[in-house]
Amino acid sequence: MTELISQQIADLVTKAIKKAQKKGHLPAFDIPEIVVERPKQETHGDYSTAVCMGLAKYARMAPVKIAEIVVAHLPKADFVGKVEVAHPGYLNFTLDTGWVCRQVDAILQAGENFGRLDIGRGKRVQVEYGSANPTGPLHMGTGRNVVIGDTLANVLEAAGYSVHREYYVNDAGSRMRAFYETLYARYAQALGRDVPVPEDGYHGRYMVDMAAEIVAREGARFLEMPKEQALPQLGKLGLELILKQAKEDLARMSIHYDNWFSEQSLYDDGTFGRVMTILREGGYVVEKEGAIWFTSPNLPDDEVLIRSDGTPLYFASDISYHYNKFILRGFDWVIDVWGADHQGHVPGMKAMMPALGLHPDQLTIILYQLVTLRRGGEIVRISKRTGDIITLREVLDEVGPDAVRFFLLARTADSQMDFDLELAKEQSQENPVYYVQYGHARIASILRYAEEQGMADYVGGDVSLLTTPPEQALIRKMLELPEVLEQATTKLAPHLLPHYAQSLAATFHSFYKECRVISSLPEDRELSRARLKLVLAAKVVLARVLRLMGVAAPERM
RNA sequence: GCGCCCGUAGCUCAAUAGGACAGAGCGUCUGACUUCGAAUCAGCAGGCUGUGGGUUCAAGUCCCGCCGGGCGCGCCA
């Protein structure tokens, strides 16, 4: 478990202020949260805090003066090399060079676990992502959804949460019915019957292909039974095919779920009915205009749960679904990843939480802005209903899973993005993911070379020799990983990972250029052994980040 | 009309719960392979952070108004 350096520095500063107050060098005031950050500029040290500027008001002293007093009372710590006061009141900390060297050993010892945090304290969190009507192939919108969700799940796991990954299969409701009807029509057409695809059905080419596949496998037997009997049987086959394809696509992106949850099961096992009773007994239900509505003081307008024709809306099954998540399965925290086009449902979901005896904060809904698809500059609508879609599979084939994951991950969920398939193909070779992977492969190559040169015995190398600026810079960059994870966790911002990965790779490549790792000179032998440990540590950290992003860490490329 | 998100280098994007001279990649230009991988490195150029006010010691970041773009506002999903 890593204790964050930034946190340790914050603790030191807090102690210093308390001590100074006790001795009367600072007046009494409540100590605020000490924010410690990594300054952008090297000359400002490794860590910095601006807290003294904020204290000026309470202490009624100049910020610089406060900073000087804090420094004078700062407890000793082995990792702190230098503390400086900078105008107009910053406190800049530089890590001790020898301590930094020793972190190479610490990283190697931690290995796969380097950067692991305990923010989550084993709290059970479920991340639900990728969920969509299983009525067609996955597209780029789903791609963004799963990349955000899966990476976030990885991050939370690394931060000490017990993470459960779930895909919600919307296999009930009106969209499913339309899917069945479409499949029936295409199936019949494949056998020469003139059955039209329903207006609100799925007009994409893939339905034709799927029907053909079913005809090839099952023959005409579904036309020999009444339609109402054929529909569910045929639909089941179609659903299986869709899910199979989805699983294949997701597997290519290294995405694997703990559970695929069927919406239909909520109706089959009685959960739905039970939840409706709970809502009714809690006074959250009103009947009017022939329909059943959800009503809550936390919601400006009532929302329909069950239509006047008796069929439930997704809102109703979503409430049951979350009852299942929280009450039946006991998750402490649930994160749903939704496209921005679902934003209108967030207030309803938040409002239903108290109705189930839960706190709204236990449910986090991450909205990511939509992906606009282009093909050579022209906008392509992603609608399964009209059929003109660029499938995720197509993009995976053209661009490759690693580049796709990296591309989709590297932006904040809050900003919408353009994805031009033509441009992506062209640029796939320039994708920064290869820059990062190359760093990893390059180190692997160095380590292979070390073996060839009979230098495989570097485990006992003396890391205290790693004092030059490129070496120190590399170690310091590696030490950022835990803080990146902390930020990504607390802000639910997985996009921070690719940026860190690039920065780490850049620091490594720069080190590599300046520092010969394996020297043939006898007098450099000890330095070589130390540097071999350094690059091995860098490999560990690069691999860790790549894995967190769900991207391969190749030994060769 | 109301609500949510966005507007930062030519392009694609960062900027750590308000912090120091706004940073990367791609692209352009200039250099660097007779020893570990040149898918690399070093460097030049590129900005009134859409715009006008406000709050603050400090604003890309917070507040208000405009302009521009995306998405919502169903007994759809």
Side-chain angles (χ1 to χ4, degrees):
Chain A
M1 219 66 70
T2 314
E3 197 183 344
L4 291 174
I5 300 166
S6 53
Q7 187 54 51
Q8 294 183 52
I9 289 176
D11 291 346
L12 291 179
V13 172
T14 306
K15 279 180 191 158
I17 295 172
K18 276 186 186 157
K19 199 170 160 196
Q21 285 178 324
K22 204 170 172 187
K23 290 168 83 176
H25 297 158
L26 281 177
F29 51 80
D30 289 336
I31 301 172
E33 193 198 348
I34 313 284
V35 177
V36 175
E37 55 195 7
R38 305 212 52 137
K40 290 170 201 154
Q41 252 183 279
E42 251 175 74
T43 54
H44 295 147
D46 295 306
Y47 293 88
S48 169
T49 178
V51 72
C52 299
M53 263 103 85
L55 292 179
K57 209 181 299 176
Y58 310 109
R60 307 184 58 162
M61 294 167 84
V64 171
K65 183 76 188 154
I66 299 170
E68 281 165 356
I69 292 171
V70 170
V71 172
H73 293 83
L74 222 44
K76 286 263 176 291
D78 63 343
F79 63 91
V80 177
K82 190 170 63 177
V83 186
E84 287 175 315
V85 175
H87 277 279
Y90 291 100
L91 226 43
N92 295 336
F93 295 79
T94 304
L95 295 174
D96 177 70
T97 305
W99 183 86
V100 169
C101 291
R102 292 194 291 281
Q103 298 319 297
V104 172
D105 281 329
I107 291 167
L108 289 176
Q109 206 182 342
E112 285 267 300
N113 288 317
F114 174 63
R116 189 166 286 280
L117 305 172
D118 192 27
I119 299 173
R121 297 173 188 280
K123 205 166 136 180
R124 295 186 64 218
V125 57
Q126 186 201 59
V127 187
E128 180 215 322
Y129 53 98
S131 314
N133 288 314
T135 54
L138 303 184
H139 52 74
M140 282 301 284
T142 327
R144 188 173 199 189
N145 186 316
V146 296
V147 165
I148 291 172
D150 190 62
T151 309
L152 188 62
N154 292 344
V155 165
L156 292 174
E157 213 161 60
Y161 287 90
S162 168
V163 178
H164 185 267
R165 298 147 199 265
E166 185 152 289
Y167 192 108
Y168 184 46
V169 182
N170 293 114
D171 54 0
S174 63
R175 286 290 94 216
M176 216 53 221
R177 175 79 194 187
F179 171 74
Y180 289 0
E181 292 277 3
T182 304
L183 185 58
Y184 185 85
R186 292 301 195 196
Y187 174 80
Q189 287 170 10
L191 292 164
R193 304 283 181 85
D194 186 19
V195 179
V197 172
E199 191 74 15
D200 68 340
Y202 296 90
H203 297 264
R205 166 92 208 161
Y206 64 91
M207 291 300 287
V208 178
D209 299 340
M210 194 188 299
E213 191 179 332
I214 292 174
V215 169
R217 219 172 58 198
E218 308 284 336
R221 66 187 182 92
F222 295 113
L223 284 186
E224 289 153 12
M225 58 179 83
K227 185 182 170 189
E228 279 312 307
Q229 195 181 329
L231 222 46
Q233 293 188 35
L234 202 50
K236 188 164 175 283
L237 290 177
L239 178 61
E240 280 167 6
L241 284 172
I242 293 282
L243 291 180
K244 180 168 161 279
Q245 280 182 32
K247 284 178 189 179
E248 284 166 6
D249 290 351
L250 293 167
R252 284 178 70 186
M253 299 176 80
S254 308
I255 293 171
H256 304 278
Y257 286 93
D258 294 308
N259 190 35
W260 292 65
F261 190 96
S262 157
E263 180 190 5
Q264 185 59 44
S265 74
L266 294 165
Y267 296 99
D268 297 343
D269 69 9
T271 304
F272 183 86
R274 201 177 328 150
V275 170
M276 286 305 128
T277 304
I278 291 168
L279 294 183
R280 193 169 285 114
E281 287 172 353
Y284 292 97
V285 167
V286 288
E287 287 186 42
K288 58 184 178 187
E289 298 157 35
I292 294 173
W293 302 65
F294 177 79
T295 184
S296 159
N298 302 321
L299 211 54
D301 300 304
D302 295 347
E303 274 191 50
V304 174
L305 291 165
I306 299 180
R307 297 180 184 89
S308 42
D309 70 1
T311 58
L313 279 110
Y314 272 31
F315 180 45
S317 55
D318 272 346
I319 298 176
S320 316
Y321 181 34
H322 285 77
Y323 173 86
N324 172 286
K325 292 184 186 199
F326 285 108
I327 310 296
L328 300 184
R329 286 190 281 167
F331 290 112
D332 302 308
W333 182 25
V334 167
I335 299 173
D336 295 344
V337 182
W338 289 1
D341 53 340
H342 290 70
Q343 63 188 257
H345 295 284
V346 174
M349 293 302 286
K350 286 287 185 183
M352 69 83 186
M353 290 291 284
L356 299 181
L358 299 162
H359 194 282
D361 288 349
Q362 288 177 265
L363 174 66
T364 299
I365 295 170
I366 295 182
L367 294 174
Y368 61 91
Q369 297 299 311
L370 300 183
V371 180
T372 306
L373 277 178
R374 292 169 197 278
R375 186 176 264 151
E378 269 188 47
I379 293 182
V380 179
R381 290 298 310 156
I382 43 170
S383 165
K384 277 180 284 198
R385 300 197 204 177
T386 56
D388 186 14
I389 58 174
I390 295 177
T391 62
L392 182 57
R393 178 166 295 190
E394 193 179 345
V395 179
L396 288 173
D397 288 341
E398 300 274 10
V399 178
D402 288 344
V404 169
R405 261 198 97 133
F406 202 90
F407 180 88
L408 289 172
L409 188 60
R411 285 123 242 256
T412 63
D414 276 343
S415 63
Q416 84 190 82
M417 58 188 279
D418 275 17
F419 188 91
D420 188 323
L421 187 61
E422 298 303 320
L423 204 62
K425 269 193 272 182
E426 269 176 51
Q427 291 183 348
S428 61
Q429 286 312 303
E430 319 298 332
N431 192 299
V433 74
Y434 299 122
Y435 178 83
V436 181
Q437 290 180 320
Y438 180 66
H440 186 268
R442 202 176 206 185
I443 295 173
S445 169
I446 296 170
L447 297 176
R448 284 193 296 270
Y449 182 75
E451 294 220 10
E452 287 167 24
Q453 298 298 305
M455 296 238 0
D457 66 325
Y458 52 85
V459 279
D462 178 8
V463 292
S464 71
L465 300 173
L466 304 169
T467 56
T468 65
E471 294 163 325
Q472 286 279 307
L474 180 53
I475 307 171
R476 282 158 207 252
K477 186 55 75 174
M478 294 192 276
L479 294 177
E480 281 183 28
L481 176 69
E483 280 140 32
V484 171
L485 276 173
E486 189 248 357
Q487 289 289 324
T489 300
T490 54
K491 294 162 85 174
L492 300 177
H495 78 279
L496 296 173
L497 289 180
H499 291 98
Y500 170 69
Q502 269 186 94
S503 169
L504 176 61
T507 311
F508 164 72
H509 285 307
S510 177
F511 153 82
Y512 176 84
K513 198 71 182 178
E514 290 201 51
C515 298
R516 174 87 202 170
V517 177
I518 298 166
S519 165
S520 48
L521 302 172
E523 63 267 32
D524 288 341
R525 188 167 176 84
E526 280 313 304
L527 183 59
S528 287
R529 294 175 79 215
R531 284 182 174 168
L532 278 165
K533 285 179 81 170
L534 173 59
V535 296
L536 179 60
K539 185 168 181 271
V540 166
V541 181
L542 277 169
R544 181 107 168 88
V545 187
L546 288 166
R547 274 185 73 94
L548 284 166
M549 294 189 295
V551 166
E555 297 291 312
R556 289 187 168 85
M557 46 191 299

